[in-house]
Amino acid sequence: MALEIRAVTVLGTGVLGSQIAFQTAYHGFRVQAYDIDDKALDAARERFAGLAATYRDEVMGATRELTEQTRAGIGLTADLGAAVAEADLVIEAVPEVLDIKRQTYRKLGELAPERTIFATNSSTLLPSDMADFTGRPDKFLALHFANQVWKFNTAEVMGTGRTDPAVFRAVVEFASAIGMVPIEVHKEKSGYVLNSLLVPFLNSAVELAAGDYAEPEAVDKTWRIATGAPMGPFQILDVIGLTTPYNILSSNAETEGLARWLKENYIDKGRLGVATGEGFYKYS
């Protein structure tokens, strides 16, 4: 019997978590969004309002009525138990720190219904490193979205050796149902397809700037002119937000120096990217 997904909970309402929640609700699913406190939820409300406006500008057929209905229909809570009480699928988009994710899954495993599927949106961590903490490794896998999900609409689906094939198929079908193009990854690979290509590219750009070989603007200009790409790596980093790249760089001894440069020159100064109005560039 096919698994049915109708009620979805998104854990974490940051840049990407809020997009996942909005896109899912926009396509008619019941959505609960969870974050740790009222301050985070207030920020989520602002993001959802911004996404409603963005969809009207950039998504064909996205009327004011539809986008406002979508925004108003997303439940918001800082109570994890309440957030997952009726969930068929939980998509985890908490910070890219393995211990935080493991602690989250330990709590989730105790609170969520037995039927609930868990999916991590981790950028680079392997789901098998978290599976034992879920209490249901057969119902756990990775579902990775690219930033600006309404436009760059890939959804990479990657299980572990213990993921139930029926769960894998259900998540592939869910991804299609919310307007994504499912990319099936046949076995575990840190970074899936997209970030296996993107992360080394972005790290190389940071290395050029941190090593004082070239300014971020010059790196971006070189990439755009030489390849015809619409954006350079530092523009991409600003869109992603610098916290996630910092966490990824910090987790590897070989790139700790790049993480420190990013923190001292940008993060500590509140320059986190587009979301804060300034990163490598200023945004009005």
Side-chain angles (χ1 to χ4, degrees), residues 110-250:
E110 297 171 354
L111 294 169
E114 187 177 340
R115 74 176 188 281
T116 306
I117 297 167
F118 295 164
T120 180
N121 181 58
S122 173
S123 301
T124 56
L125 300 171
L126 292 175
S128 59
D129 290 337
M130 300 169 250
D132 286 337
F133 294 81
T134 68
R136 58 189 76 190
D138 59 321
K139 296 185 179 72
F140 176 63
L141 75 176
L143 175 61
H144 180 252
F145 296 80
N147 198 23
Q148 300 185 341
V149 301
W150 63 93
K151 182 164 52 176
F152 305 126
N153 60 326
T154 58
E156 297 171 286
V157 185
M158 182 174 77
T160 75
R162 293 185 285 174
T163 303
D164 185 335
V167 167
F168 189 95
R169 295 313 317 164
V171 173
V172 168
E173 291 169 10
F174 163 76
S176 292
I178 63 167
M180 298 292 104
V181 177
I183 307 298
E184 299 184 28
V185 182
H186 301 308
K187 57 184 179 179
E188 280 192 292
K189 171 75 170 73
S190 177
Y192 318 81
V193 176
L194 177 59
N195 281 329
S196 291
L197 300 168
L198 182 61
V199 170
F201 167 63
L202 297 179
N203 287 357
S204 294
V206 173
E207 185 177 0
L208 286 170
D212 202 26
Y213 296 101
E215 294 296 323
E217 294 87 347
V219 174
D220 282 353
K221 184 186 296 184
T222 302
W223 185 255
R224 291 195 309 267
I225 294 172
T227 68
M231 298 174 72
F234 290 101
Q235 292 172 290
I236 295 171
L237 284 164
D238 271 356
V239 172
I240 293 169
L242 302 193
T243 302
T244 295
Y246 169 75
N247 287 333
I248 294 170
L249 290 166
S250 298

Side-chain angles (χ1 to χ4, degrees), residues 59-140:
V59 177
M60 187 176 296
T63 63
R64 178 173 293 276
E65 180 181 6
L66 181 54
T67 56
E68 286 304 307
Q69 179 182 323
T70 298
R71 181 189 61 78
I74 299 171
L76 283 159
T77 182
D79 182 331
L80 184 59
V84 303
E86 298 181 5
D88 300 313
L89 170 67
V90 173
I91 302 173
E92 167 267 307
V94 305
E96 190 76 348
V97 178
L98 184 58
D99 285 345
I100 293 175
K101 291 183 183 290
R102 285 174 168 175
Q103 291 168 19
T104 300
Y105 283 116
R106 187 180 284 115
K107 295 175 185 174
L108 268 180
E110 297 171 354
L111 294 169
E114 187 177 340
R115 74 176 188 281
T116 306
I117 297 167
F118 295 164
T120 180
N121 181 58
S122 173
S123 301
T124 56
L125 300 171
L126 292 175
S128 59
D129 290 337
M130 300 169 250
D132 286 337
F133 294 81
T134 68
R136 58 189 76 190
D138 59 321
K139 296 185 179 72
F140 176 63

